[in-house]
Amino acid sequence: MFNRTKSKKGRRSPLATVSLIVVGLMTTGGAYALFSSTASADDSSTTTVAAASQSQVNEGQKLFASNCATCHGLSAQGTSEGPSLIGVGAASVDFQVGTGRMPMAAQGPQAEEKPSQFTDTQVDALAAYVASLGPGPSIPSTSLTDGSDGDAAAGAELFRINCAMCHNVAGAGGALTEGKYAPNLTNVTGKHIYEAMVTGPQNMPVFNDLNITPQQKADIITYLKYVQDNASPGGFGLGALGPVAEGLFIWIFGLGAVVAMTVWLTAKSN
């Protein structure tokens, strides 16, 4: 009798089971609703960004069809008049179009820099469209191109080793073969210098991140900015054309002055 009473008192009420089920369902439902709302917000944000990007790509496609397709093909696949642009990346378009080299005014050994025919917004749209056709170098961040965070001394060494044979040690440019040339880098923006290194326009080799790291590229830009902003410590720089120009100057004017002085002294003694 005692054991039977104790067993009845220890038995769980049927309402307790129902209460546990209700609490469990409410907890599960609340957690699911919260997760769903967060995921929906994230999806909405992603959709908005994608739509804006697609709008820019569509605008770039229209600009491409009306200004570039004659040479590069309607799908940028290339023609006999121009190379394929699939896989060249946004950086190549931003450099070529942003510096006015493209569209070319006429066929020649090299595309010359000139005022751009497009606004910055249009250049961005063209770059976005070409980038959508295939992976390629992207437009660099401002932190790598503004010339403020690099090491000028390290950049000078890198520039002498990799660039000075064509561009001159001071970035003044120089002549190449068959009517081509390495352009003067004075007043060229850091962004376009960086893009030239990663895309290799004209006769320039490509310096990818395995050849020259992004930080080393930033160092080179810092060095060029330093050369541009600071006067030559040796006085008149003769156009920063290097030892050949300096030697020629001494040969013509220095030796010429000696000959002129000799002739004058000889004439005076007679």
Side-chain angles (χ1 to χ4, degrees):
M1 185 67 179
F2 176 80
N3 292 337
R4 183 179 298 175
T5 304
K6 183 176 180 181
S7 176
K8 289 181 178 179
K9 289 182 179 179
R11 184 179 300 170
R12 180 179 298 175
S13 172
L15 294 177
T17 303
V18 175
S19 300
L20 287 174
I21 294 175
V22 171
V23 171
L25 290 174
M26 291 179 65
T27 303
T28 305
Y32 179 78
L34 179 63
F35 175 78
S36 299
S37 62
T38 304
S40 298
D42 291 342
D43 291 343
S44 176
S45 176
T46 303
T47 302
T48 302
V49 173
S53 178
Q54 187 60 46
S55 174
Q56 188 181 44
V57 169
N58 292 339
E59 179 63 24
Q61 185 176 17
K62 294 176 183 177
L63 289 168
F64 186 91
S66 58
N67 295 277
C68 315
T70 303
C71 294
H72 295 286
L74 284 173
S75 301
Q77 77 278 9
T79 67
S80 59
E81 300 296 326
S84 169
L85 299 182
I86 299 175
V88 301
S92 181
V93 177
D94 188 76
F95 174 82
Q96 296 286 359
V97 180
T99 61
R101 288 177 166 85
M102 291 293 163
M104 290 182 68
Q107 291 290 343
Q110 184 166 323
E112 296 185 4
E113 183 178 3
K114 58 184 182 298
S116 177
Q117 299 184 21
F118 301 92
T119 65
D120 291 342
T121 302
Q122 291 174 326
V123 173
D124 291 341
L126 282 168
Y129 167 65
V130 173
S132 71
L133 302 177
S138 59
I139 298 174
S141 64
T142 305
S143 61
L144 294 172
T145 61
D146 61 5
S148 61
D149 296 331
D151 185 335
E157 182 178 1
L158 288 166
F159 189 85
R160 286 193 297 269
I161 294 172
N162 298 281
C163 317
M165 66 285 294
C166 295
H167 289 282
N168 176 281
V169 71
L176 301 175
T177 60
E178 300 178 353
K180 301 172 184 178
Y181 60 92
N184 188 332
L185 300 181
T186 304
N187 297 323
V188 178
T189 65
K191 181 178 73 167
H192 289 152
I193 292 174
Y194 193 107
E195 290 169 344
M197 285 190 276
V198 296
T199 61
Q202 311 297 341
N203 301 284
M204 185 171 173
V206 175
F207 296 103
N208 59 36
D209 291 346
L210 296 178
N211 302 128
I212 301 178
T213 66
Q215 182 56 52
Q216 289 175 326
K217 292 183 178 73
D219 293 341
I220 291 175
I221 293 171
T222 299
Y223 164 68
L224 291 172
K225 183 174 177 60
Y226 175 85
V227 172
Q228 176 180 322
D229 295 342
N230 293 272
S232 173
F236 186 52
L238 299 176
L241 296 179
V244 174
E246 294 169 359
L248 184 62
F249 180 87
I250 294 173
W251 178 265
I252 294 176
F253 293 96
L255 188 59
V258 171
V259 172
M261 181 63 70
T262 303
V263 171
W264 180 77
L265 290 174
T266 303
K268 185 176 181 180
S269 63
N270 291 335

